[in-house]
Amino acid sequence: MGAEEINSGQIHGTSRAARRGETPGGERLADWADGRLGLYALAKANMRKVFPDHWSFMLGEICLYSFLILILTGVYLTLFFEPSASEVVYHGPYEPLNGILMTRAYESTLHISFEVRGGLLVRQIHHWAAIVFLAGMLVHMMRVFFTGAFRKPREVNWLFGWTLLMLGLITGLTGYSLPDDLLSGTGVRFAQGAILSVPIVGTYLSFFLFGGEFPGHDIIPRFFPIHVLLLPGIMLGLVVAHLILVFYHKHTQYPGPGRDQKSVVGMPFMPVYMAKAGGFFFLVFGVLSLMGAIATINPVWAFGPYRPDLVTTGAQPDWYLGFSEGLIRVMPGWEINAWGHTLQLGVFIPFSLFPLIMTAIAVYPFIESWITGDRREHHILDRPRNVPTRTGLGVAWLTLYGVLLVGGGNDLWATHFHLSINAITWFVRVSFFVAPALAFVVTRRICMGLQRRDRDKVLHGRESGVIRMLPHGEYVEVHEPLTPAQRFTLTQHEQPPPYEVGPLVDANGVARRVGPGRRLRARLARAMYGPDTQIPKPTPEEYRELTSGEHHH
């Protein structure tokens, strides 16, 4: 072996040893993973992604964190809960129920509450997290609705959120029914009555679901895997898809200087946003833990086990199902008897209205897109006052929900405020039609007033509260001019003309064929974006004229 080969081997050996000494094990593992999964390119593209900063964006985070807490606490409860409808005699630490016949499901719920270390706390955190999760989703979707964040390219994400809300309602119903206490059993009986009202197939659906006559022995074992595995699995997949689309489309942002359809003003995902998100998760967890520790919810031991011949006084569902409860409570008891069959309209009509109203919410982005004919991407949010018709529709829906929530608890309103339950029922029946329409009109007028105020602010400035006397004795209030950033925020929105069908006769005097669909679209466009819904923005000429010389105070 020559000297040249020896030197070459020594150089290469030294180089390999140096590499082994300089490269930490974690970096080698990262290089190994990157070579097989492409993690570096993925992280480089997304970890520095900019997210805008606004308090309302935390509503979605509350939904995400409460969902994670639901999964964590649900796993713990699953270890001790027995989803069985077999009957046993209770012998446990809760003396008032000793010797009472009950199902294994109810007995295991008592066992979790009184004998498992931390069981009652985890149960209550789980229940409070479910309520906060659904409340957060509703408020988050309302924020998306009022600001127009559902527009292209986010229609699919709106449908994902809507599906999560519907699955959350069903998951809440199934979990609420698992303990088999008297309150939850009453809720299951309510659902069974609604299913029986379905014409022709209602009886078959009930027999299939309950495994025979109500209550049967199959409903709890069937609800358990649906509540624990099926629905959470689907929801987890939808949450992941929802977050992926948020990353892919980039986050929406409120109007302001430097913000347009292409650029985002905010903080990077790593490390700023992740640090804030991590802290906010523990804040949400801490608040839910505090609520579970000091605020009793669903005390199943106070109701006793479910019996088909009993019902609790003041039985109410959780708030998110009060909508459907109110629909059925205030509906007149109409029924039709024909050919030996009875159609319970007093139950079937409300049972049908609930999914119809929710379906209208799901398809609204596509309806608005069809009305406006707008096919552009939108990443800047609307100020609700600048879209008064949409804002009025949202407030009308919330008003309808509030009215029906009152109807769902009409007995509690009557007993707590010493009112006639018949008077409350008739109030809800009338308000079902009147209150949403009134809320729509009032909201539109408020939005128009706010548009006029914004126009005056841009032209005249902000009222300062300082009064000055002019040389000729006139007293005027000094207005402080807005900054360019404030003026931009108030005037950046577009005011496109509404869709029109155009002249019905062309230049040659030949009548144009305009279908009913186009006529309907034009009417809806005028109602949503016509002159009656927009206060014209001040022009630069108007601003210069009013802010020059003696015109400006």
Side-chain angles (χ1 to χ4, degrees), residues 364-380:
Y364 180 85
F366 304 96
I367 295 175
E368 183 174 304
S369 176
W370 173 71
I371 292 173
T372 60
D374 190 357
R375 300 293 183 268
R376 299 170 300 167
E377 290 192 0
H378 293 275
H379 303 290
I380 300 295

Side-chain angles (χ1 to χ4, degrees), residues 326-539:
L327 278 170
I328 290 182
R329 285 198 184 193
V330 302
M331 180 71 187
W334 297 340
E335 62 181 39
I336 296 176
N337 296 300
W339 300 290
H341 297 277
T342 300
L343 179 60
Q344 292 286 349
L345 296 178
V347 179
F348 179 65
I349 291 178
F351 189 53
S352 305
L353 278 177
F354 180 77
L356 288 177
I357 294 174
M358 297 303 293
T359 301
I361 295 174
V363 301
Y364 180 85
F366 304 96
I367 295 175
E368 183 174 304
S369 176
W370 173 71
I371 292 173
T372 60
D374 190 357
R375 300 293 183 268
R376 299 170 300 167
E377 290 192 0
H378 293 275
H379 303 290
I380 300 295
L381 298 173
D382 287 330
R383 300 177 77 213
R385 65 187 63 182
N386 294 329
V387 195
T389 302
R390 182 205 296 155
T391 304
L393 290 174
V395 173
W397 185 87
L398 291 175
T399 303
L400 176 64
Y401 189 94
V403 167
L404 292 175
L405 202 60
V406 172
N410 56 2
D411 53 341
L412 293 182
W413 285 92
T415 56
H416 282 66
F417 295 96
H418 307 289
L419 301 173
S420 167
I421 193 169
N422 293 327
I424 296 174
T425 301
W426 274 105
F427 167 79
V428 175
R429 288 175 178 174
V430 175
S431 299
F432 177 85
F433 300 98
V434 175
L438 183 62
F440 175 80
V441 173
V442 171
T443 302
R444 272 190 47 150
R445 291 185 65 87
I446 292 174
C447 289
M448 298 296 287
L450 291 173
Q451 287 187 43
R452 290 188 182 93
R453 191 181 72 171
D454 288 347
R455 175 183 170 87
D456 290 340
K457 277 186 180 180
V458 173
L459 293 176
H460 303 288
R462 188 187 306 276
E463 296 178 357
S464 66
V466 178
I467 306 299
R468 288 183 180 175
M469 185 178 70
L470 299 181
H472 57 277
E474 179 186 0
Y475 287 91
V476 296
E477 182 181 15
V478 177
H479 284 216
E480 298 176 352
L482 301 182
T483 64
Q486 292 171 329
R487 290 199 301 271
F488 175 82
T489 302
L490 297 180
T491 59
Q492 55 77 38
H493 60 282
E494 298 178 348
Q495 292 183 326
Y499 170 80
E500 296 180 354
V501 295
L504 299 180
V505 179
D506 62 17
N508 299 320
V510 180
R512 294 172 56 239
R513 296 185 60 183
V514 180
R518 295 179 61 187
R519 293 178 185 271
L520 175 63
R521 178 183 173 189
R523 293 193 187 98
L524 293 174
R526 282 196 301 272
M528 293 190 67
Y529 299 100
D532 295 337
T533 66
Q534 296 177 348
I535 301 299
K537 296 189 297 183
T539 62

Side-chain angles (χ1 to χ4, degrees), residues 149-231:
F150 54 77
R151 294 172 295 173
K152 183 181 178 181
R154 296 175 179 83
E155 302 96 333
V156 175
N157 231 4
W158 171 265
L159 290 178
F160 283 169
W162 180 87
T163 306
L164 280 168
L165 179 61
M166 293 299 295
L167 291 177
L169 295 177
I170 300 172
T171 307
L173 175 63
T174 55
Y176 174 84
S177 306
L178 286 178
D180 199 37
D181 61 293
L182 187 55
L183 184 62
S184 66
T186 303
V188 176
R189 183 61 161 173
F190 174 88
Q192 192 248 358
I195 292 172
L196 287 175
S197 70
V198 179
I200 302 175
V201 299
T203 306
Y204 298 98
L205 290 175
S206 176
F207 268 62
F208 172 76
L209 182 63
F210 291 92
E213 290 285 351
F214 180 87
H217 295 281
D218 296 338
I219 189 63
I220 295 176
R222 289 178 178 179
F223 272 0
F224 184 73
I226 293 174
H227 177 75
V228 173
L229 294 176
L230 179 62
L231 294 179

